[in-house]
Amino acid sequence: MGEFTIVGLRVVREAARCGSFSTAAENLGYTQSAVSRQIALMEQAAGRVLFERHARGVRATEAGRIVLRHAETVLGGLGSARQELDELSARPPVTLRVGAFSTAMAALVPRAVAATAPRLARIPLREGTSPRLISAVARGRLDVAVVTETGNLPVDAEIEPLLDEPLLIAVSPDHALAGRASVTPAQLRGQRWIAGSTEVSSTLLGAWRDATWEPEIAFVARDWFAKLGLVAAGMGSTVVPAIAVPVLPPGIALIRVDHPAAVRTTSVVYRGADSATPRQLFIEALRDAAADLATEVRQRLR
């Protein structure tokens, strides 16, 4: 027994509509012998005669009417699929404007972009500090922002935590603290630090230090590659958020800080409570990427 085919079902439908194989052939642009061949193949697939042949034309048998009913369903569904695909091609490209702080732009956001790029035509990216990104969301210049600070949120803003990441100390492999699983802030008091600013309160050092000591910032470097290069050369230590662990170069040892404040929350901010499809698609991808990153960090720090 053969198989039903789309071409064969289309021929069956047209022959039943016209009551004539020759008229069906003319309407479909086929030869009459091609139509007869398709009808024969469909009768072979059905295991039944589908048409009664008469001198003035053809008429569907009971088996033919069964096949015709299902042919209408199949061909109608294919027609709907074609219409939806044509409408999809006619839609304007979907653009989602995404902002993130530097380490999220290096590790978290690229994974979400890769997961959603086939569904979104354009994903312009903007890197910046959390306050600037939140301001851009408030002014409608960004659709989504990945941030670590959540002050001055717009009234209609929604915020969703993605992950709580530990702050880690990065040192060279031959550093005196290398090999430790964790250290207390007191054990770090004699360290020379590499930070993005001389203002300690504006750096990750400010998360867990207290008023009894002031960290010695030996080098100021805003670029992460510069910081890590200095660390690898043994010129000091720096604080690294766990979100950056998967993209760190080799030759860097990581140590946990044993302090409750040595944790940073990464969140996604957007305006409005509606579930806009492109935005929601990207946020779901961010959730998945954050979960994967958290697993990778736990494995690295074992």
Side-chain angles (χ1 to χ4, degrees):
M1 185 176 291
E3 297 288 338
F4 291 108
T5 65
I6 300 301
V7 172
L9 292 175
R10 188 171 286 117
V11 169
V12 167
R13 181 177 68 177
E14 192 62 27
R17 287 177 177 176
C18 300
S20 165
F21 289 170
S22 59
T23 304
E26 183 179 346
N27 291 345
L28 293 172
Y30 295 162
T31 63
Q32 185 168 342
S33 61
V35 166
S36 297
R37 185 166 59 253
Q38 288 297 326
I39 295 294
L41 290 172
M42 293 303 94
E43 289 182 328
Q44 181 182 355
R48 300 283 191 281
V49 174
L50 300 182
F51 290 95
E52 296 175 354
R53 278 77 165 172
H54 302 283
R56 295 185 178 180
V58 297
R59 184 174 61 186
T61 63
E62 183 178 358
R65 289 192 293 273
I66 291 173
V67 172
L68 179 62
R69 186 172 69 251
H70 290 284
E72 293 284 5
T73 300
V74 171
L75 297 173
L78 290 174
S80 296
R82 172 53 59 193
Q83 182 178 353
E84 289 181 27
L85 290 170
D86 291 342
E87 290 173 356
L88 180 64
S89 300
R91 291 175 192 166
V94 176
T95 298
L96 188 75
R97 300 161 300 172
V98 177
F101 58 93
S102 59
T103 45
M105 195 66 79
L108 178 63
V109 171
R111 300 185 185 203
V113 169
T116 55
R119 302 275 298 276
L120 301 175
R122 293 184 64 248
I123 309 178
L125 300 177
R126 174 176 172 179
E127 183 180 329
T129 62
S130 293
R132 289 183 178 275
L133 295 172
I134 290 172
S135 177
V137 171
R139 296 197 303 270
R141 296 181 180 178
L142 286 177
D143 300 303
V144 174
V146 180
V147 300
T148 57
E149 302 172 32
T150 56
N152 298 320
L153 286 175
V155 175
D156 60 346
E158 297 288 328
I159 181 165
E160 178 182 330
L162 293 171
L163 76 161
D164 291 326
E165 49 176 334
L167 298 179
L168 309 169
I169 306 302
V171 298
S172 63
D174 57 355
H175 191 280
L177 296 177
R180 289 176 176 261
S182 64
V183 292
T184 65
Q187 292 173 304
L188 296 170
R189 292 193 179 191
Q191 298 301 309
R192 288 161 52 85
W193 295 98
I194 301 160
S197 170
T198 55
E199 295 293 329
V200 175
S201 60
S202 68
T203 70
L204 295 177
L205 285 166
W208 41 263
R209 75 181 182 95
D210 57 43
T212 64
W213 68 286
E214 191 72 12
E216 177 193 352
I217 298 179
F219 296 95
V220 173
R222 296 187 181 278
D223 183 80
W224 276 103
F225 286 107
K227 290 180 184 177
L228 296 171
L230 288 166
V231 168
M235 302 307 297
S237 309
T238 196
V239 181
V240 176
I243 196 174
V245 167
V247 295
L248 291 181
I252 300 291
L254 297 174
I255 312 163
R256 284 182 177 272
V257 180
D258 187 11
H259 191 279
V263 177
R264 185 175 73 169
T265 299
T266 295
S267 304
V268 58
V269 174
Y270 53 93
R271 289 182 66 187
D274 63 292
S275 56
T277 301
R279 185 181 67 199
Q280 192 61 31
L281 181 71
F282 192 81
I283 292 172
E284 289 173 2
L286 283 174
R287 292 192 199 108
D288 292 341
D292 290 342
L293 279 171
T295 299
E296 291 177 29
V297 169
R298 286 194 297 270
Q299 292 174 344
R300 171 76 181 267
L301 298 178
R302 283 177 181 172

